[in-house]
Amino acid sequence: MLGHLEINAMAQKSLRYMGIVKAFSILFAALIALSAHALAQDETISFNRDIRQILSNNCFKCHGPDEEIRDTLPRLDLSTTATAPNTDGIAPFVPGDPDQSEAYGRIASDDSNKRMPPPDSGKTLTDREKELVRRWIEQGAKYETHWSYTAPTTPAIPSVKNEAWPNSDLDRIVLARLEQERLEPAPQADPATLYRRIHLDLTGLPPTPKAAQAFANDPSPEAFERAVDDLLASPAYGEHWARVWLDLARYADSKGYEADRARTMWPYRDWVIRALNDDMPYDQFTREQLAGDLLDNPTRDQRIATAFHRNTATNDEGGTDDEEFRVAAVVDRVNTTMQVWMGTTMACVQCHTHKYDPISHREYYQFFALFNQTADADTFPVESPVLPLHEEDQERKYSHFKEQLEKAEEALEAMKSSVTPASDEDAGDHEKALEKAEKRKKFAEDILNKFNESAPQLPVLEELPEDDQRVTRRMIRGSFLNQAEEVSPGTPAAFHLVPDNAPLNRLGVAEWLMADENPLTARVAVNRYWERFFGIGIVETAEEFGTQGELPSNQAVLDWLAVEFRESGWSFKSLCKTIVMSATYQQDSTITPESWERDQYNRLLARGPRFRLSAETIRDQALSISGLLSDEMYGPPVMPYQPDGTWQVVYNGDPWKLSEGENKYRRGLYTFWRRSSPYPSMMSFDATSREVCVSRRLRTNTPLQALVTLNDPVYVEAAQGLARRMYDANPNSAKKAITYGFYRATAREPQHAELATLVDLFEENLDRYREDTDAATKLATEPLPLNRANAEVARLAALTVVGNVLLNMDEVLTKE
């Protein structure tokens, strides 16, 4: 037992220690405050960088663009209103004088009755934020146009100390920032890692052992660029990048809502793949999807492209109001168009003026009017207008029948307009002839209709005739039943004007989106691609470039890429090559303690990209490594394994019919996508239901993901397939067989410790399965039947265990 004096001494020592800690805490806080104050004193405060986000998060909801909420309150998002005195001569911000600025006085006040934001808002400014506002006012309260509303220009290329590192001006911009932050770029990744990285990024598939070996044995400096060009020319490129676009297009093989019946949309998916493989310029890619039907003499493919906006959900439930859901579809088209091409949130403006960005409620419906003249009307069961899609040989027959119908119609019209016969007898060579012509026309129509009904019916866009176009009115609170004044078609005034020669319809929208003056389209597109390569966009909020979005981590990089993309003729393949040929992209992804401490999320780009693969890529890679992946392209969706009973939760009784043969092993892109019940294993890896436009998938890490890759029949089959390839490579040597399997999975040789661990695992399981033949047979042959005569089942079972481990390695599930 400790004595009283000992306890007292310890207590005093403890108190002294706590006092020292507290003193240091106070000192540290004071230093931070002084540091922040010194920083504010020494540096120019930027409205876009330092102030806009503070006001947007805390003030614009009530003091922003929404006139209904703002009422008589001062508007703080515009310089003209924020610095204008009211009738009492008081202004929110008085340039140069924070003490006379009403808004700053409210922000800094300790009086809860005066303080802004009000206490019940749940918002408050930090001391640093208050100081930034004060210093900004002292420096003149200068407003700036939001960074993303000014068209990008090529930034000045900075000089760098390490001239040996950059491969391009992109790298110089990145390196200048690193040198400013006193960081060094990581060394270049090793060739095997880099080769696997470009395969996964450009095609979504791992390299074959043969290709990886050939690359490893090619010492020429041009080897990497040749590999990049080959991958960009591969059909797998279009399949991989189409997935990103289909998330934006909310592509699905079902209609949505409660019934969620199947419909034919796959020809549109195939159009996207072909367009990307052909490197269709982004301006043409845009024009055909938004308004292919409005082009002069549109081709069949251009009409197929318009299915982009027929991916909207349609409601087949009984008793619904067709006009309600037609309007909902147009609203979705408006919101999707602005999100995909402009990175701008429009959904809230459906009901009221934007609270943060300068887009009014009236302007929303002016933009709505541009999409409000299509012929579709949420009708059931026919989703007209539709485009019958015949096979190539059937198309020739279709053309023949169409020609016969046109001839029959011409003959009938000619007979109807002929001179009336002089005699009753003649009136009788004439009525019979008309009757015969009518029958011929009816016969031709019946054949044409039946022929079309037998073909897939793709929903497409068609514009209403000019004399049958709808009147568009502003909808109060977004209700189609509560309409106000009529509005004319137009675009938001905060952005550039519609080109002079462009019509005020969907085609005009396409021209407006792709105009050189548009500040957002190129930036939004390159940011989206950058995210796929680096795991996070230069603007992290890829869906939001407005005032509520994150600032770019390096605007100079974003703008340089945007201008390059536009000046390349809007070539996505050129954009991809520019990125992967950069020294920035080719860095090793190893995280050092210093880089983790200074730049945890790699926003400064001091290392290469490293993150988990997407849902489709994980599945495609497993099938590719196992040798099971089918390279069949295009056509109707397929139905690979999914858990029994999954579709029983949806409204209708459409069955999930397991595909046969190689269709089970096609790329995930071709899997039937049902909105109310998406493919479960992909949902476990953060795929989207495709009910709405999704600009980026958020990555999660849950135990369900491991359960999928360990136990899902697709992955069990993949492990079995990989086991058979290891067995075929060397049926007698476990080391050589496993080395081959490891190389298939990672594109590199295993290290000694890695190989030893895997061999131990194999031998342990080999002994086990030699004693339990039934278990060995089940693991080696179910669900993938065994087609190798005289193969040792126990050995195949043990290799299947190894194959399962290989497919579940972090290195395999991650792009490094």
Side-chain angles (χ1 to χ4, degrees):
M1 295 286 292
L2 290 173
H4 174 74
L5 290 176
E6 289 175 297
I7 295 174
N8 188 48
M10 290 179 65
Q12 290 182 24
K13 184 177 180 181
S14 175
L15 287 170
R16 283 197 301 272
Y17 175 75
M18 290 173 66
I20 293 170
V21 170
K22 185 175 182 181
F24 269 114
S25 298
I26 294 170
L27 178 62
F28 187 66
L31 287 172
I32 290 177
L34 287 171
S35 168
H37 184 71
L39 179 68
Q41 293 288 346
D42 293 340
E43 289 192 7
T44 300
I45 306 302
S46 162
F47 179 78
N48 275 342
R49 184 191 66 216
D50 304 310
I51 304 300
R52 184 187 293 277
Q53 200 75 3
I54 296 173
L55 299 183
S56 179
N57 288 342
N58 296 283
C59 309
F60 286 178
K61 182 177 180 181
C62 299
H63 295 268
D66 189 348
E67 65 280 358
E68 290 186 19
I69 295 294
R70 193 178 67 247
D71 196 18
T72 60
L73 296 175
R75 183 172 178 177
L76 301 183
D77 63 314
L78 298 177
S79 174
T80 52
T81 52
T83 59
N86 61 16
T87 54
D88 296 326
I90 300 172
F93 297 125
V94 178
D97 194 344
D99 293 332
Q100 294 300 314
S101 299
E102 173 74 6
Y104 178 72
R106 293 295 193 99
I107 287 170
S109 175
D110 292 328
D111 186 341
S112 61
N113 293 319
K114 293 183 178 180
R115 187 170 66 243
M116 288 291 166
D120 61 2
S121 70
K123 295 179 179 294
T124 184
L125 272 67
T126 65
D127 289 341
R128 176 174 172 77
E129 288 173 333
K130 293 175 185 176
E131 181 63 18
L132 281 170
V133 173
R134 180 180 180 85
R135 292 294 299 130
W136 171 67
I137 298 171
E138 287 176 345
Q139 293 177 9
K142 296 175 184 176
Y143 276 71
E144 299 166 324
T145 302
H146 184 52
W147 72 270
S148 70
Y149 292 172
T150 302
T153 57
T154 301
I157 305 304
S159 58
V160 294
K161 297 174 185 175
N162 183 5
E163 275 290 349
W165 187 75
N167 291 340
S168 65
D169 286 344
L170 166 64
D171 294 327
R172 289 184 177 84
I173 297 170
V174 171
L175 183 58
R177 177 72 179 279
L178 291 178
E179 290 179 345
Q180 178 185 336
E181 299 285 342
R182 298 182 181 178
L183 287 171
E184 292 185 358
Q188 188 179 58
D190 65 85
T193 297
L194 206 50
Y195 191 61
R196 179 175 180 264
R197 185 186 295 175
I198 58 171
H199 270 262
L200 292 171
D201 274 341
L202 295 179
T203 69
L205 297 174
T208 64
K210 184 178 179 181
Q213 197 63 56
F215 179 77
N217 294 333
D218 187 346
S220 68
E222 298 81 19
F224 184 77
E225 185 172 5
R226 276 201 303 270
V228 169
D229 289 337
D230 288 345
L231 292 171
L232 290 172
S234 164
Y237 164 86
E239 291 179 306
H240 177 56
W241 285 96
R243 196 280 299 159
V244 179
W245 188 260
L246 295 182
D247 276 2
L248 296 166
R250 62 268 193 251
Y251 168 85
D253 298 298
S254 67
K255 299 179 182 181
Y257 293 113
E258 184 183 9
D260 202 21
R261 292 183 174 89
R263 69 174 166 192
T264 299
M265 288 304 296
W266 57 264
Y268 167 74
R269 176 245 289 150
D270 291 354
W271 179 89
V272 174
I273 297 170
R274 290 189 175 98
L276 292 174
N277 273 332
D278 293 341
D279 200 20
M280 180 183 286
Y282 192 38
D283 56 348
Q284 182 183 348
F285 189 70
T286 297
R287 201 174 291 115
E288 295 193 5
Q289 290 184 85
L290 292 182
D293 60 307
L294 297 176
L295 299 173
D296 293 336
N297 300 313
T299 64
R300 186 175 91 149
D301 276 356
Q302 287 169 337
R303 294 196 65 201
I304 289 173
T306 67
F308 171 83
H309 268 327
R310 290 303 305 275
N311 278 311
T312 45
T314 56
N315 198 331
D316 287 351
E317 296 172 46
T320 59
D321 188 316
D322 288 342
E323 178 64 6
E324 176 184 2
F325 290 97
R326 186 198 71 80
V327 168
V330 179
V331 165
D332 180 69
R333 290 165 192 167
V334 168
N335 299 343
T336 295
T337 299
M338 288 297 285
Q339 184 173 339
V340 170
W341 278 274
M342 301 283 280
T344 297
T345 302
M346 283 280 277
C348 58
V349 196
Q350 174 189 351
C351 297
H352 54 76
T353 291
H354 208 297
K355 295 188 183 300
Y356 306 101
D357 295 323
I359 306 172
S360 73
H361 190 218
R362 180 181 176 85
E363 285 176 326
Y364 182 93
Y365 286 98
Q366 289 181 303
F367 199 62
F368 178 99
L370 295 164
F371 293 86
N372 197 29
Q373 305 305 337
T374 57
D376 57 287
D378 198 75
T379 54
F380 175 75
V382 180
E383 286 197 293
S384 60
V386 294
L387 180 65
L389 295 171
H390 306 280
E391 297 293 337
E392 193 172 338
D393 60 329
Q394 293 177 321
E395 192 68 33
R396 287 192 291 271
K397 293 179 183 178
Y398 174 69
S399 299
H400 171 72
F401 286 129
K402 191 175 180 181
E403 184 181 335
Q404 294 301 311
L405 176 59
E406 289 170 355
K407 286 182 179 179
E409 288 174 337
E410 288 172 5
L412 182 60
E413 289 303 315
M415 294 187 71
K416 284 180 178 179
S417 61
S418 62
V419 179
T420 304
S423 66
D424 291 342
E425 185 177 345
D426 289 342
D429 177 58
H430 193 263
E431 289 178 7
K432 286 181 180 179
L434 275 174
E435 185 179 347
K436 189 174 182 181
E438 289 275 11
K439 286 181 178 178
R440 188 180 297 120
K441 179 193 171 188
K442 182 68 167 60
F443 179 72
E445 281 180 339
D446 287 345
I447 292 178
L448 192 52
N449 288 336
K450 288 177 181 176
F451 191 68
N452 281 340
E453 288 168 6
S454 68
Q457 310 284 309
L458 176 70
V460 293
L461 291 181
E462 282 182 9
E463 199 81 342
L464 290 169
E466 284 191 20
D467 58 355
D468 195 28
Q469 298 217 333
R470 301 181 181 96
V471 171
T472 301
R473 298 181 182 275
R474 183 170 62 87
M475 299 181 191
I476 299 172
R477 304 303 300 173
S479 170
F480 80 109
L481 294 174
N482 192 6
Q483 301 193 13
E485 76 279 4
E486 181 178 345
V487 297
S488 56
T491 55
F495 302 110
H496 57 292
L497 298 175
V498 176
D500 291 338
N501 58 347
L504 283 176
N505 56 20
R506 286 178 286 114
L507 185 56
V509 172
E511 301 298 342
W512 177 72
L513 289 171
M514 302 312 300
D516 286 348
E517 299 84 359
N518 190 323
L520 285 163
T521 295
R523 282 179 173 139
V524 170
V526 300
N527 187 68
R528 189 178 296 131
Y529 266 61
W530 185 272
E531 183 193 20
R532 292 308 309 146
F533 286 109
F534 286 88
I536 188 171
I538 298 170
V539 176
E540 182 176 358
T541 51
E543 70 286 354
E544 181 55 88
F545 275 55
T547 58
Q548 286 297 96
E550 294 291 328
L551 291 173
S553 58
N554 193 324
Q555 188 180 338
V557 169
L558 181 67
D559 287 356
W560 186 89
L561 280 170
V563 174
E564 285 288 306
F565 179 47
R566 189 178 64 207
E567 294 184 353
S568 73
W570 300 104
S571 166
F572 278 124
K573 287 190 176 183
S574 177
L575 172 64
C576 288
K577 185 171 182 179
T578 296
I579 292 173
V580 301
M581 292 301 294
S582 69
T584 303
Y585 171 83
Q586 295 177 27
Q587 294 176 94
D588 185 87
S589 64
T590 302
I591 302 176
T592 64
E594 183 186 15
S595 66
W596 177 257
E597 182 181 352
R598 296 282 305 279
D599 188 19
Q600 187 171 349
Y601 296 105
N602 199 25
R603 306 300 279 142
L604 298 174
L605 304 169
R607 59 181 184 269
R610 186 184 189 279
F611 54 92
R612 198 201 64 217
L613 299 172
S614 66
E616 290 87 346
T617 301
I618 288 174
R619 182 180 183 277
D620 294 349
Q621 176 184 243
L623 292 174
S624 179
I625 292 170
S626 70
L628 294 174
L629 183 68
S630 167
D631 60 5
E632 183 75 17
M633 296 180 69
Y634 311 125
V638 297
M639 296 182 176
Y641 286 110
Q642 74 169 2
D644 291 339
T646 301
W647 269 24
Q648 290 178 5
V649 299
V650 298
Y651 177 76
N652 68 70
D654 291 345
W656 180 272
K657 186 178 180 182
L658 184 63
S659 295
E660 298 179 353
E662 68 173 329
N663 278 337
K664 286 190 297 187
Y665 309 118
R666 294 186 66 187
R667 296 194 69 165
L669 178 77
Y670 300 109
T671 298
F672 191 101
W673 208 274
R674 185 167 217 155
R675 286 175 161 138
S676 59
S677 182
Y679 193 61
S681 71
M682 291 188 199
M683 293 302 287
S684 296
F685 284 96
D686 310 312
T688 168
S689 67
R690 301 246 176 91
E691 292 171 284
V692 294
C693 170
V694 173
S695 291
R696 59 177 174 142
R697 295 183 184 178
L698 301 178
R699 283 185 298 278
T700 62
N701 188 9
T702 75
L704 287 177
Q705 294 162 353
L707 293 174
V708 168
T709 53
L710 286 167
N711 301 307
D712 186 286
V714 171
Y715 293 92
V716 173
E717 277 193 317
Q720 291 171 336
L722 178 56
R724 294 170 196 189
R725 274 139 195 88
M726 288 190 280
Y727 185 90
D728 292 344
N730 199 309
N732 301 314
S733 169
K735 284 187 177 181
K736 291 181 180 179
I738 293 171
T739 297
Y740 174 76
F742 194 97
Y743 196 84
R744 283 189 73 96
T746 65
R748 70 172 176 87
E749 300 282 344
Q751 297 175 4
H752 176 76
E754 293 170 327
L755 181 59
T757 300
L758 290 169
V759 170
D760 287 347
L761 176 68
F762 166 80
E763 290 176 347
E764 176 185 332
N765 280 277
L766 180 62
D767 292 341
R768 172 192 169 193
Y769 286 119
R770 278 175 172 167
E771 295 177 359
D772 191 342
T773 306
D774 290 342
T777 302
K778 185 173 183 179
L779 181 60
T781 67
E782 296 178 13
L784 192 66
L786 184 62
N787 57 0
R788 283 159 177 75
N790 303 320
E792 185 185 357
V793 174
R795 196 172 190 86
L796 281 172
L799 286 172
T800 298
V801 173
V802 173
N804 191 275
V805 169
L806 291 174
L807 293 175
N808 277 274
M809 289 196 304
D810 181 65
E811 180 179 347
V812 173
L813 299 175
T814 302
K815 184 195 76 172
E816 298 187 322

